[in-house]
Amino acid sequence: MSTEPQSFEILLVPEHVVEGSADDAVRSAVVAPTGQNGASGYPRYSGDGMVADIDPVTRTVEALLVDGSELDYGLKPVLHPPTDSQS
C-alpha cells in the first residue's frame, strides 16, 4: 500500500516569508509523480514547468528545476497539501 500523494502544489515564495501561502507566491505549479526517482533518490514530480524531487514523508523538496533552471536566489519552495481530485 503506497502512501505517496498523487500530486503536490509547489509555491515559490520569497525567502523572508516564514510560512508561505498562495498570497505570497510569485509562482505556483501542481506537480504529479512521474514514476521515476530523481538524482536525490526521492520520487520525481513534474508539471507546469517545474520538476521536483520530493520526500513525500517529510514533505521536503529535495531538488527543484523551474523551466529547466535552478531556483533563483531569494526564492524558496513551499509545499501545499496534495491535490488528489480533479475538479
Side-chain angles (χ1 to χ4, degrees), residues 7-56:
S7 61
F8 284 106
E9 181 178 17
I10 300 175
L11 302 178
L12 300 182
V13 298
E15 282 187 348
H16 69 274
V17 175
V18 176
E19 289 186 30
S21 70
D23 293 335
D24 300 315
V26 296
R27 183 167 172 180
S28 67
V30 175
V31 294
T34 65
Q36 300 175 340
N37 286 345
S40 67
Y42 291 98
R44 178 157 288 169
Y45 293 76
S46 178
D48 297 329
M50 292 190 199
V51 177
D53 295 357
I54 299 174
D55 180 345

Side-chain angles (χ1 to χ4, degrees), residues 1-6 8 45 56-57 82:
M1 170 169 74
S2 175
T3 59
E4 290 182 18
Q6 292 302 307
F8 284 106
Y45 293 76
V57 175

